[in-house]
Amino acid sequence: MMLIDCPWCGPRGHVEFTYAGDATVKRPAPDASEAAFADYVFLRDNRRGPHRELWHHTAGCRRFVEVHRNVLTHEILGTSAPEVSK
Amino acid sequence: MSLAYSALSLARHALTGHRHWPRAWRDPAPKPRYSVIIIGGGGHGLASAYYLAKEHGITDVAVLERGWLGGGNTGRNTTIIRSNYLLEPNAHFYEFSLKLWEGLSRDLNYNAMVSQRGVINLAHSDSQLDQFAHRGNAMRLNGIDCELLDRAAVQRMVPILDYSDHVRFPIYGGLLQRRGGTARHDAVAWGFARAADRRGVDIIQNCEVTGIRVENGRVQGVETSRGYIAADKVGMAVAGHSGHVAAMAGLRLPIESHVLQAFVSEPLKPCIDTVVTFGVGHFYVSQSDKGELVMGGDIDMYNSYAQRGNMPMVEHTLSAGLAILPMMSRLRMMRLWGGVMDMSMDGSPIIGKTPIEGFYINGGWCYGGFKATPASGFVFAHTIAQDRPHKLNEHFTLDRFDRGAAIDERGAGPTPNAH
Amino acid sequence: MTERFRLASGGTAIDRARPLSFRFDGKRLTGVAGDTLASALLANGVRLVGRSFKYHRPRGIFTAGPEEPNALVGLRRGDRHEPNTRATMVELYEGLDAESQNRWPSLRFDVMGINDRLSPLLPAGFYYKTFMWPPKAWLTYEHYIRRAAGLGTAPTARDPDRYDHRSAHCDVLVVGGGPAGLMAALAAARTGARVILCDERVELGGSLLRENRMIGEETGAAWARRIGAELGTLPNLRLLTRTTAFGLFDHNMAGLIERVADHVATPPEHVPRQRRWNVRARQIVLATGAIERPLIFAGNDRPGVMLASAARAYIHQYGVRPGSRAVVFANNDAGYRTAADLAAAGVTVAAVVDSRIADASTGTTQLAGIPVLSGHAVVSTDGRFGLTGVDVAPLGEGSAVRRIECDLLAVSGGLTPTVHLHSHAGGKLAWDDARLCFVPSTGRATVRSAGAAGGAFGLGACLAEGARAGAETATAVGFSAPAGVTAPAVTDEAVRPPQALWAVPARAGKASKRFVDVQDDVTVEDVGLAAREGYVSVEHLKRYTTLGMGTDQGKTANVNGLALMAQLRGEAIPAVGTTTFRPPYTPVTIGALAGREIGLHFMPVRRTPMHDWHGAHGGHMIETGLWMRPRCYVRVGETPDQAVRREAAHIRNAVGLVDVSTLGKIDVQGPDATEFLQRAYANGWANLPVGKARYGIMLREDGMVFDDGTTSRIADKRYFMTTTTANAAPVLMHLEYLLQIVWPELRVQVTSESDQWAAMALAGPRARTVLARVVEGLDVSDASLPFMGAREAHIAGLPARIFRISFSGELAYEINTPADHGLALWEALLAAGAGEDIIPYGLEAMGVLRIEKGHVAGPELNGRTTAEDLGLGRMVSAKKPDFIGKHLRERPGLKDESRLRLVGLVPVDGTSKLRPGAQIVADAAPTLPGKSLGHITSTAHSPTLGHSVALALVSGGATRKGETLYAAYFLEEGGATVPVRVVDPAFVDPEGKRLHG
Amino acid sequence: MAERRSALADAVKPGVYGAAGPAGPGIEIRELGPLTVVQVAAFDADRAAAAIGEALGTPAPSARNGVATAGAAAVLWTGPGRWLVIEPESRDLASLLRQHCPSDAATVTDLSHARAALRVEGLKVRDLLAKLSILDVDPTVFPPATCAQTQFGQVGVLLYCRLHDGFDVFLPRSFAVSAFEAVIDAALEFGCRVS
């Protein structure tokens, strides 16, 4: 089990969290094109290596946490409050 | 001595202590240029090369494999074959695949141990039976064999399941596809490799693609750990690593890579004859010819390129197993491993052209890759040879998401780990 | 039968004063406390214990530890039967009952032994080359192959034992309680760090118990016992014996299995058979020791051929003579130690066969009265069910074969460090040419190997490395090492380097097999065949020959196989590489992995506040997404289906009460609550007054319908949102995502109130009459509480929120009360309705009513339908600048007129039954494969219309109104298609008179 | 105030269960209630914490997993700017808090009926929690006057450490019976008195 250091609750096993995917995709402004929204919803870098992703601390504080994790080794390089869209 | 495999040739070779069997496939050095390069020496890549040669007469083909043939998901899956899909594009595609499986061993002259012992999906409520009726009727309308079983019929086929009332999910019935079953995963890679090799395809192992050369919108060739190799056309069949490889060509895909674990028990005398799927618990099991119970569950739920998972999913999957097979409790889990899945945004594969001329993609298989192997190679070969999709993969295009033409079997939407 | 091979004295593990009786293949034997099944069998002179996997060759006890490939037995009987159990790891207990496996009819006479004779036809991978004719015959061949394969037989009954889980956290985890592990644990614990030490055996000491070594003035065993006792007194150290660390996972999570009660016939009450520990360690010391490799020569698999380390272990640990007359065969100095120990135990040692050429520089070890044959090798063996003798010849030129009678052949091919856990953690291995083994190289910074596990085979080195590892890991996590924990000085005698001897060359004309993997019967010739055919990568070798694929996972075989392949490829061993070690280190009981979340607790059950009432009043409870809900309430003499029809009809004519507590309920509060709903829902919320409810639809960002439900404005800045039962959790998380990530500027809090409220719907023409009787201080007339009104009031003295909304299409009130009052309110309403003939109704009648009204639910909200598909397109706001789903719902594929869209269907003949899941087709008799026009999603027998009605998703949808299509149910043999007419989905009261009544 | 019927009304059956050690049961369990549980969720954590202080006499804890007590009331930190105020049912706590918390600083939600509560004590209580959860329950990590939200298996729970050997366990109401059964099952090996 991975150990995720929730910025608010402290280090917890990853089963307390719900994975919420790539943290770098940002919802476009309302006036953005359909194509821009399609990219936001469907396309991912899916890099092999360090990956910024969101985990929701479902069994804890119910906050989204931004986790910087190497998806090749599962090593966590850091956690933080998520960077928000605006 | 004859190159063909048969009981007779086996007996003849026995006389000379099997000292004269030839290589199953050659070990050629890469040529500077090929008409077609297939990236990925798994089942899909090898099948694509085989059908390029067999169906389209294109033999100036190289299959480039980073490691050893079948070392990706081909050699890591739970070997199930079936075509019990609801949506038409999937149904027709996987049914064609199942038909190819049925003649595969003889076509390849390599026993892939295609074992049509049946695949049962268990139902645990009336509403689930209704859903299965929906899928089953759709399958039959699509010309696919399928039966809806009541509890007693399931019990006759798989007596070892728990039919007592002291269970969380009592068995109401099931959806059976008799023509479904299993095949020997390694043999699929080796059989396609040998058959393709004999038609002149170069199979090159330990050759990692490190770059894809594209000039004015057209693919030129690939950089590899063994030097640059030019090609008129390049097809990628690296499911699990599609995101990584596509990025070399500057493409972003509607795919995330996730790890899926599988387990085997110690070998036992036969106790389960069919493939049993317990959907509510995300658990499925079959028994290998060696006697091991081969089990799988759900993905670990987070992006991963590591071919290993974590205990929580092992725990959950095996509790699910015990929920329907309490007799497994005292058996032992002997080996566990993980494979990296291309989880697409609608749970269906992507096979077709890309925005780059001469560059083709075959990926996004989620868990469905193994059973698709022959058909995937068949239609991918067609797509590469003709530069247009075969009828069976015309819906599996890369641009279907922009067009709003997703093929979402589960209705889970653009959430890869939910498919 | 007496233990004629039991030594008069010695045995660090056993207690001669406590005899135990046990059975093997039905034969009664005796052993002593401390024995393993293997040592007890050897003490009784039992040598033949099993049959091999493929050729069914007679096999004996090959090792004394977890690496055992041969001595696998079926332990215990009936519902406690455990197949494939390693006799070397089974602690003997009174009444132990074991049987041999993979033989029929008996161990001595096994018909499948014929495979050994047929072996020329069964080389590695033979099955890939044949069984392809006639077509489809494979299933038949396979039937017999499957019966020949497999090992033990699985039990068929439910396991009566329990398996617990628990988690533990520590600063330092030490795996292995041998000399290195003991020193590591002591050194780490003395710093005050939280330490866990686990060892898979019953007693600490590891090799010290199996070898004749002194530490200072003490025997190794005595020293281990003393240190173990000291560790037992340290409060910050947890000692776990009989505990195997089976896997090392991400972020230093180690999986341990403690065999709490495997050493007794049945576990005491409340005591688990096994306990799985999830240990999170900041630092890990792997002191897992090493495993000896066998040597490979013709007939190296016979009962009586045994690892030299095992022979010594049986003498020192169990006081058992592993044979009477022995030959020792080694490529390293272990042979001499073994010979000396055997001799000391009264075993005649006929010869030490050392494959190395003795020369002046190295010389030979001299042992009193024991001939040493340097530069020699064992070239073949005899004995059908047990070794009777060996042929020895010089290596290389000249083959003066000499025959030596013996019943024991102790072999040593050198040591392989046990690097499994290091490898699980992603650690790499390096080949050491001097020691001829793989040793850990790079790996996780917080995981280190010590002692033999790291390639330090000398006792002195093990002790020193252990002490260092313990101190350094503890200091690495912030503890300071006190002085005084130093390893006892033990000088390791100089050893002459081992010499590679991967396989003794086969002798011309001798066909006898040389086994690389004895469990799976993989021979040197099989490896050769794999190389010849191009299966040269380690993984191909393994998969093609099944080398290392048995229950022992090749612990004694992998390195030899690898080395042979390297030879055949003419490459160095590192160039060939090594297979990845995957968990578990040794096989793990599945029950122990599953733990307590089994049976009725496989998944937790959710109960509404009225749960028990339903059960007590004939409710047929069914599971829907963890919740238990009443499908219907069956009366005496009624079938469930009749009950459903009765309930549905009754609601249309009188009144009923249904438990809807499972609906998701979310408190949406804050200054920007209204704006938030505007963006989260597809329809508009700008002008909803306080005290009013509104039906809302939520889309996914891709434009598909996500969820629906009614949301009420209960205060200026506060809304009470409801969701479908299935989506309660996903919707809440979706809203949290929007507020935390997408629109953090919106000041809104969302909180689940699903468990806070009991909810029930009072529905039917007489609903108002019933409510009026018990409601306090609220005028429930249509004028005061119109359709879509929301009020707070007291009912029968209980606080309640009353919403005049209707799923059934009847005059209805959805009433919420704080959950602890749920049952009281439920009973109060039923009491109040007694005069109005009120009934409770269930999930299915509710379904019938909503289908009659054409309301969509789960089967229609299938994740592939848009608002337009469901006939809700008009609700979607065209004015709002932004809302979730707005931007992708215009994609062509979602606007296509041929999409499957909601319609109603009725049987043309007015009588036929429509069934959910039927396909909709254009022809009465479709040819297959045929074209689907859609499918039936929900059906009901309409009590109002008196016939079957269905909701369906049909291509073209409403444009087909009036058309006749066909409902096809192929799954029923001879099931004819049913002509259906396409109608509006609102079958009953389309104008909504009843609910406005 | 109307009589309340807890989710565990029928599940809690007083008695001694499981192993009978010489030292008596290692675990003592009793249900708490009826309780008032009110959530305060802040847009402005400092103002909200202060407002809670005005209402109860003790400011809300700002430290992660912190607990502050004011008479019979305990204020449990459940996230950044989020607290649960828990006390035996006696007054209209929600209204009291709403009076003190400006609506632009925090929201107030009454969750009194959303949970069932157990008081679990005894020498083996930390061993019990180690069986049920994956938290590090060592006293140095989880000392008295702190709380943590985690899960027992798949059920989310709130743990409040009151004493070295005493915890209050809050279970979601709909899962309460299922979770309670799991707690008792886990306690059997230590011996368990339910009162």
Side-chain angles (χ1 to χ4, degrees), chain C residues 354-644:
Chain C
D354 187 337
S355 64
R356 299 171 296 181
I357 307 285
D359 58 42
S361 66
T362 59
T364 59
T365 310
Q366 291 308 328
L367 294 169
I370 301 179
V372 172
L373 302 169
S374 303
H376 278 59
V378 173
V379 293
S380 68
T381 68
D382 310 297
R384 180 147 176 247
F385 295 124
L387 190 69
T388 55
V390 302
D391 288 350
V392 177
L395 279 161
E397 299 321 306
S399 55
V401 174
R402 97 172 63 176
R403 155 97 186 173
I404 307 175
E405 305 284 327
C406 62
D407 61 358
L408 171 68
L409 175 58
V411 297
S412 174
L415 293 173
T416 297
T418 305
V419 295
H420 298 70
L421 295 174
H422 166 79
S423 186
H424 296 174
K428 300 273 172 289
L429 301 175
W431 178 256
D432 182 316
D433 246 329
R435 285 171 292 182
L436 294 181
C437 62
F438 282 102
V439 294
S441 62
T442 57
R444 213 180 271 173
T446 51
V447 177
R448 66 171 69 194
S449 302
F457 298 136
L459 175 55
C462 286
L463 293 163
E465 273 198 11
R468 195 182 327 115
E472 288 178 4
T473 47
T475 46
V477 288
F479 295 84
S480 47
V485 187
T486 50
V490 173
T491 37
D492 297 320
E493 72 280 3
V495 293
R496 289 182 296 152
Q499 186 181 61
L501 175 65
W502 300 116
V504 176
R507 288 153 71 206
K510 289 269 182 183
S512 184
K513 298 186 181 64
R514 297 174 294 164
F515 288 94
V516 182
D517 181 325
V518 282
Q519 180 173 126
D520 273 8
D521 288 335
V522 179
T523 66
V524 174
E525 288 65 32
D526 291 326
V527 177
L529 179 62
R532 203 170 301 127
E533 295 189 277
Y535 301 94
V536 294
S537 89
V538 180
E539 287 290 341
H540 283 164
L541 169 66
K542 173 177 127 193
R543 290 154 182 266
Y544 190 66
T545 65
T546 74
L547 174 78
M549 300 289 269
T551 63
D552 60 333
Q553 293 290 286
K555 289 186 178 57
T556 57
N558 286 347
V559 173
N560 284 342
L562 193 64
L564 288 170
M565 179 55 79
Q567 271 182 345
L568 290 161
R569 282 170 55 172
E571 293 182 271
I573 288 171
V576 180
T578 176
T579 59
T580 329
F581 292 95
R582 306 204 173 279
Y585 155 63
T586 49
V588 179
T589 304
I590 288 172
L593 291 167
R596 296 300 294 160
E597 289 182 12
I598 54 171
L600 293 172
H601 277 271
F602 161 53
M603 283 185 185
V605 171
R606 297 185 78 175
R607 294 167 168 84
T608 75
M610 289 78 89
H611 177 89
D612 297 344
W613 189 97
H614 302 318
H617 293 78
H620 266 215
M621 304 304 281
I622 55 169
E623 129 102 32
T624 59
L626 300 189
W627 288 100
M628 298 306 293
R629 306 180 68 178
R631 178 182 167 221
C632 57
Y633 302 83
V634 178
R635 290 180 180 173
V636 184
E638 242 182 4
T639 67
D641 287 348
Q642 291 166 331
V644 170

Side-chain angles (χ1 to χ4, degrees), chain B residues 12-206:
Chain B
R12 274 212 241 90
H13 280 276
L15 301 175
T16 54
H18 301 281
R19 282 188 302 279
H20 303 299
W21 285 110
R23 287 188 66 100
W25 56 84
R26 295 163 299 124
D27 181 22
K31 294 189 288 182
R33 163 171 217 95
Y34 289 91
S35 318
V36 180
I37 283 177
I38 302 290
I39 305 172
H44 292 247
L46 293 163
S48 304
Y50 171 69
Y51 290 114
L52 273 169
K54 178 173 183 254
E55 301 294 323
H56 306 277
I58 303 174
T59 59
D60 181 26
V61 177
V63 177
L64 307 183
E65 167 54 45
R66 171 176 64 156
W68 40 280
L69 295 187
N73 295 332
T74 300
R76 295 170 186 280
N77 65 84
T78 47
T79 78
I80 297 165
I81 60 173
R82 57 183 176 89
S83 61
N84 54 358
Y85 281 78
L86 170 70
L87 302 180
E88 269 177 46
N90 285 330
H92 291 314
F93 173 80
Y94 284 105
E95 175 59 11
F96 177 68
S97 200
L98 194 51
K99 290 201 168 81
L100 288 177
W101 278 114
E102 286 169 331
L104 194 66
S105 295
R106 285 152 55 76
D107 184 28
L108 300 179
N109 179 233
Y110 200 105
N111 187 358
M113 303 186 188
V114 174
S115 178
Q116 295 179 284
R117 46 190 55 258
V119 172
I120 293 183
N121 291 57
L122 297 176
H124 306 276
S125 67
D126 289 328
S127 60
Q128 211 181 350
L129 277 173
D130 291 347
Q131 291 164 27
F132 283 169
H134 175 201
R135 204 206 305 188
N137 282 312
M139 287 168 66
R140 293 282 281 267
L141 180 57
N142 286 320
I144 303 168
D145 79 292
C146 173
E147 298 158 55
L148 197 59
L149 305 182
D150 62 14
R151 177 188 171 96
V154 174
Q155 189 159 11
R156 277 194 297 280
M157 283 196 80
V158 199
I160 203 162
L161 299 177
D162 187 347
Y163 297 90
S164 72
D165 299 329
H166 192 73
V167 295
R168 183 73 175 79
F169 293 98
I171 295 168
Y172 277 52
L175 189 73
L176 166 68
Q177 182 179 27
R178 286 191 193 274
R179 287 166 58 246
T182 59
R184 172 82 182 116
H185 56 7
D186 293 323
V188 174
W190 301 337
F192 272 116
R194 175 167 168 272
D197 174 88
R198 291 172 69 180
R199 289 176 181 269
V201 171
D202 281 0
I203 291 161
I204 300 160
Q205 300 184 77
N206 304 307

Side-chain angles (χ1 to χ4, degrees), chain C residues 641-963:
Chain C
D641 287 348
Q642 291 166 331
V644 170
R645 289 189 182 203
R646 170 182 52 78
E647 291 173 8
H650 192 92
I651 306 315
R652 292 269 180 247
N653 305 318
V655 61
L657 191 64
V658 62
D659 183 353
V660 294
S661 302
T662 63
L663 289 175
K665 309 173 203 72
I666 300 172
D667 178 36
V668 181
Q669 259 195 93
D672 304 315
T674 303
E675 173 60 19
F676 180 54
L677 293 188
Q678 281 280 69
R679 301 189 196 178
Y681 275 119
N683 50 320
W685 292 82
N687 52 7
L688 183 71
V690 173
K692 279 284 189 183
R694 177 171 292 169
Y695 175 73
I697 46 173
M698 263 182 216
L699 306 183
R700 294 191 315 230
E701 194 69 270
D702 68 351
M704 298 294 172
V705 174
F706 174 25
D707 196 56
D708 69 342
T710 55
T711 288
S712 310
R713 189 166 201 172
I714 58 176
D716 179 35
K717 299 183 165 81
R718 188 174 191 188
Y719 293 82
F720 180 70
M721 174 187 284
T722 65
T723 75
T724 60
T725 299
N727 284 330
V731 167
L732 179 64
M733 192 179 305
H734 172 67
L735 299 180
E736 287 167 328
Y737 175 84
L738 298 178
L739 287 169
Q740 293 177 37
I741 305 297
V742 181
W743 302 311
E745 71 280 9
L746 293 183
R747 289 166 307 159
V748 179
Q749 299 285 355
V750 289
T751 306
S752 171
E753 286 190 322
S754 296
D755 279 13
Q756 166 70 12
W757 299 96
M760 55 205 83
L762 180 68
R766 305 181 196 164
R768 182 179 292 120
T769 318
V770 175
L771 181 58
R773 285 213 183 104
V774 277
V775 71
E776 294 156 21
L778 176 68
D779 170 4
V780 295
S781 69
D782 189 52
S784 145
L785 181 53
F787 182 59
M788 285 296 175
R791 295 276 187 289
E792 293 200 358
H794 274 68
I795 296 177
L798 305 167
R801 288 178 177 172
I802 305 170
F803 306 93
R804 186 169 163 198
I805 54 181
S806 175
F807 193 46
S808 57
E810 290 302 316
L811 167 65
Y813 302 89
E814 200 167 290
I815 303 167
N816 288 24
T817 188
D820 285 357
H821 302 315
L823 181 59
L825 182 63
W826 176 267
E827 289 178 324
L829 286 166
L830 288 176
E836 304 299 331
D837 194 14
I838 192 170
I839 62 161
Y841 65 101
L843 197 54
E844 204 152 324
M846 189 165 68
V848 170
L849 299 171
R850 72 98 186 168
I851 292 165
E852 279 191 322
K853 278 295 290 182
H855 286 159
V856 295
E860 293 78 34
L861 300 171
N862 63 14
R864 291 185 296 268
T865 43
T866 65
E868 285 75 7
D869 297 342
L870 298 175
L872 303 170
R874 278 167 283 95
M875 284 183 62
V876 179
S877 164
K879 300 194 298 291
K880 292 193 291 181
D882 190 17
F883 62 86
I884 298 299
K886 174 185 175 73
H887 309 279
L888 292 180
R889 61 187 299 274
E890 304 297 332
R891 291 175 296 162
L894 276 63
K895 291 289 168 190
D896 186 340
E897 283 308 313
S898 69
R899 288 182 63 83
L900 302 186
R901 292 191 161 161
L902 186 72
V903 297
L905 298 176
V906 293
V908 171
D909 63 10
T911 56
S912 297
K913 186 170 186 241
L914 303 181
R915 301 169 66 179
Q919 280 288 309
I920 302 302
V921 294
D923 313 325
T927 50
L928 305 184
K931 178 87 190 100
S932 171
L933 294 181
H935 65 278
I936 291 179
T937 53
S938 308
T939 67
H941 178 85
S942 165
T944 316
L945 305 177
H947 61 71
S948 191
V949 298
L951 297 180
L953 290 167
V954 172
S955 176
T959 62
R960 293 184 181 269
K961 209 170 284 184
E963 283 185 31

Side-chain angles (χ1 to χ4, degrees), chain D residues 137-158:
Chain D
V137 293
D138 188 275
T140 60
V141 180
F142 199 170
T146 61
C147 65
Q149 294 166 105
T150 182
Q151 51 195 22
F152 288 173
Q154 297 165 55
V155 179
V157 299
L158 169 62

Side-chain angles (χ1 to χ4, degrees), chain D residues 81-103:
Chain D
R82 277 207 177 195
W83 300 272
L84 281 182
V85 184
I86 302 176
E87 65 180 23
E89 187 175 65
S90 62
R91 53 179 171 172
D92 185 348
L93 182 62
S95 301
L96 174 69
L97 289 164
R98 211 169 275 122
Q99 285 157 24
H100 289 83
C101 291
S103 65

Side-chain angles (χ1 to χ4, degrees), chain A residues 1-3 13 18 25 27 30-32 34 37-38 40-42 54 56 58 62-64 73-76 82-86, chain C residues 249-251 253 278 280 701-702 729 732-733 736-738 740-745 881-888 890-892:
Chain A
M1 192 182 316
M2 296 190 286
L3 190 66
T18 305
V25 294
R27 190 172 190 265
D31 55 5
E34 180 180 283
F37 270 89
Y40 159 67
V41 172
F42 298 115
L54 291 176
H56 177 262
T58 311
R62 297 201 65 91
R63 306 288 298 193
F64 283 85
T73 63
H74 295 173
E75 179 195 8
I76 289 180
E83 181 200 317
V84 296
S85 297
K86 312 289 181 299
Chain C
F249 301 90
D250 286 336
H251 306 175
M253 172 64 81
N278 283 321
R280 175 86 62 191
E701 194 69 270
D702 68 351
L732 179 64
M733 192 179 305
E736 287 167 328
Y737 175 84
L738 298 178
Q740 293 177 37
I741 305 297
V742 181
W743 302 311
E745 71 280 9
D882 190 17
F883 62 86
I884 298 299
K886 174 185 175 73
H887 309 279
L888 292 180
E890 304 297 332
R891 291 175 296 162

